[in-house]
Amino acid sequence: MMTTRSPQLVLPVVDQATVVCLAGELDADIGTQLGQELKQHLEQAARRGHRLVLDMAGVTSISAAACRALQQATAHLAHEPALLVAAPPAVRGVLESAHPTGVRLHDTLADALASLPRPPAPQSSLGAWQLGNPSAEGESLREEVFGLRAKARTTGLIGVAQGILMERYDLSGPTAAFALLRRASQQFNVPLRVVASAVVTAPPPTSDSQWFPGRTTHAPRPDIAFLHAYSGDAADRGHVLATALHEALALSDADAAEMHLTDPAQDGALFLEQHRGLGGAYWDQVALATDPPVVCVRAQRQREPVTVPDVAADPDLAAHPAGRALLALGSHAVHSMPLITADGHCTGTVTLHRAQPGPWLTSRQQHGLDALMADIATWRSWYRRTVVLDALEYLHQHREPEPRRDDHA
């Protein structure tokens, strides 16, 4: 497998900051390149009157050489340091040991943006969240940043899949591997990261002609109550999940909801697939959920519904960045349910939110939600066995790079 390099996604935020998202391994080989690129970003930010924010949530490791490059590029910023966000504990420990004088560490992107001087217009303030209703244009722009930042976190996984394809099919390079992933994604309307995850976790092809010889590629959609009432294409992942989340909101009288599905390529981590009525500062925290006290992770590990009647009264959750973001949104009661398949695997969670603290679900609502959770789990299992494997089969059978266009044609 190839080493994942550090892709950079540059996002201007309103008129205050430029966010640079880093991902992968910041190893010794990338140190010089990192220093040069950071200097360029700092110069561009200075010309705009922006502060530079380095989002390192997707960084898996950092070398001493990369730390030195960071220190050298930012040393002149001691009085107005660059803001460094959400480094994983191991990476943060290395940075704290290096004592870079030109950066200031923050736990979350929301914390970093909130630390910036507020612009004169009150609608640009970060603290104006209401449950499901950011009140200003500036908040809408910040939500867009949170969404793009969450997507950037999957770049490392896609890089691993590219490495596998390059080695397996003797492709010319990462561009050809990415093009192959993208074609399979588009052909079956499967998210690129889902195809990449399947490439990483599926057993290698057993023949040159077929990845899964003898497999039935068009198994009928599952006979479940949810799909009986659903008139769309069962293979349309986004539409199915959006409809399921809407149904959960209708059944529960909740004010907001979110759905996570497990990613086998990331040790079963919960990836945020759908959400309704939740602002960016919160779903930025749960875009990839791996550890308690995040409520969906509790439900996944306990394999049964978990209710937090009052977030403020749960000391661990209230002190966690996700809990603080919930309280800022106005979400005070949370109920999370695991998606358990017929063979006993937890394949995701659905989490409901209410502004009013206290338990609220009736026994009838709970019964309806239990049935819906089982239906979603059954659908997801079918989708992975059919549509995702069809995408892999297509990828295997179309592994030759597309012919180059004739620029003069």
Side-chain angles (χ1 to χ4, degrees):
M1 293 184 186
M2 71 176 183
T3 300
T4 303
R5 289 304 179 204
S6 172
Q8 299 190 32
L9 177 65
V10 184
L11 308 169
V13 183
V14 198
D15 292 321
Q16 298 172 268
T18 293
V19 179
V20 176
C21 299
L22 304 177
E25 299 175 356
L26 303 185
D27 57 19
D29 293 337
I30 208 169
T32 301
Q33 175 189 348
L34 178 65
Q36 293 172 347
E37 292 180 352
L38 285 178
K39 289 179 180 178
Q40 292 176 2
H41 292 314
L42 284 166
E43 290 172 359
Q44 292 169 359
R47 286 197 295 269
R48 297 177 183 140
H50 286 192
R51 292 281 290 280
L52 186 68
V53 180
L54 299 177
D55 171 21
M56 300 184 72
V59 174
T60 56
S61 64
I62 184 168
S63 67
C67 280
R68 287 194 297 272
L70 177 64
Q71 165 73 351
Q72 292 169 1
T74 61
H76 65 290
L77 300 175
H79 296 294
E80 196 173 56
L83 308 181
L84 193 149
V85 176
V91 175
R92 184 172 185 133
V94 173
L95 291 168
E96 289 176 340
S97 299
H99 301 296
T101 57
V103 300
R104 180 181 300 150
L105 300 179
H106 291 270
D107 291 332
T108 69
L109 180 59
D111 289 344
L113 297 180
S115 74
L116 296 173
R118 297 191 178 192
Q123 65 267 25
S124 297
S125 166
L126 186 66
W129 296 109
Q130 295 177 356
L131 190 61
N133 183 29
S135 62
E137 181 181 355
E139 301 306 338
S140 177
L141 292 172
R142 284 184 172 88
E143 284 207 4
E144 182 179 354
V145 171
F146 288 131
L148 291 170
R149 177 176 177 256
K151 291 179 182 179
R153 291 172 180 167
T154 65
T155 306
L157 173 63
I158 293 172
V160 173
Q162 287 174 276
I164 292 173
L165 296 179
M166 289 164 58
E167 181 177 355
R168 180 175 294 163
Y169 299 134
D170 195 26
L171 299 178
S172 59
T175 300
F178 184 83
L180 183 57
L181 285 169
R182 185 175 56 192
R183 293 204 303 274
S185 168
Q186 293 173 342
Q187 181 71 22
F188 290 91
N189 195 25
V190 177
L192 186 65
R193 61 175 177 78
V194 175
V195 178
S197 178
V199 168
V200 171
T201 57
T206 56
S207 77
D208 288 339
S209 59
Q210 287 185 286
W211 193 317
F212 309 100
R215 186 180 70 88
T216 301
T217 58
H218 297 289
R221 75 183 203 172
D223 183 20
I224 53 179
F226 167 66
L227 290 182
H228 289 168
Y230 171 71
S231 59
D233 182 1
D236 187 339
R237 175 191 178 95
H239 195 190
V240 168
L241 296 180
T243 303
L245 198 63
H246 177 80
E247 180 72 8
L249 280 164
L251 282 171
S252 64
D253 295 324
D255 296 314
E258 61 191 278
M259 179 187 294
H260 288 79
L261 296 181
T262 54
D263 186 349
Q266 301 189 68
D267 297 323
L270 292 169
F271 191 91
L272 182 64
E273 296 280 349
Q274 295 278 337
H275 59 89
R276 294 289 182 274
L278 295 168
Y282 170 70
W283 48 257
D284 177 61
Q285 289 299 318
V286 296
L288 191 68
T290 58
D291 298 298
V294 177
V295 183
C296 61
V297 179
R298 295 187 198 176
Q300 178 194 32
R301 294 191 178 183
Q302 296 178 23
R303 304 171 62 79
E304 61 184 22
V306 171
T307 300
V308 178
D310 188 349
V311 173
D314 184 313
D316 291 337
L317 184 57
H320 190 274
R324 296 200 301 269
L326 279 179
L327 293 173
L329 279 168
S331 174
H332 292 90
V334 183
H335 180 77
S336 188
M337 301 158 287
L339 308 177
I340 307 295
T341 62
D343 56 359
H345 290 93
C346 179
T347 192
T349 60
V350 172
T351 304
L352 306 171
H353 300 259
R354 289 266 286 188
Q356 187 68 28
W360 79 91
L361 294 171
T362 67
S363 59
R364 182 175 180 178
Q365 287 174 318
Q366 290 173 337
H367 179 75
L369 287 168
D370 288 344
L372 178 61
M373 297 306 107
D375 282 356
I376 298 171
T378 299
W379 171 85
R380 204 267 173 118
S381 180
W382 168 83
Y383 180 84
R384 290 179 63 187
R385 295 193 317 269
T386 56
V387 182
V388 174
L389 295 191
D390 285 348
L392 290 184
E393 195 69 73
Y394 176 91
L395 182 152
H396 184 58
Q397 295 178 10
H398 297 77
R399 55 188 179 269
E400 294 298 326
E402 291 182 328
R404 296 181 181 178
R405 293 181 178 180
D406 185 351
D407 292 339
H408 301 290

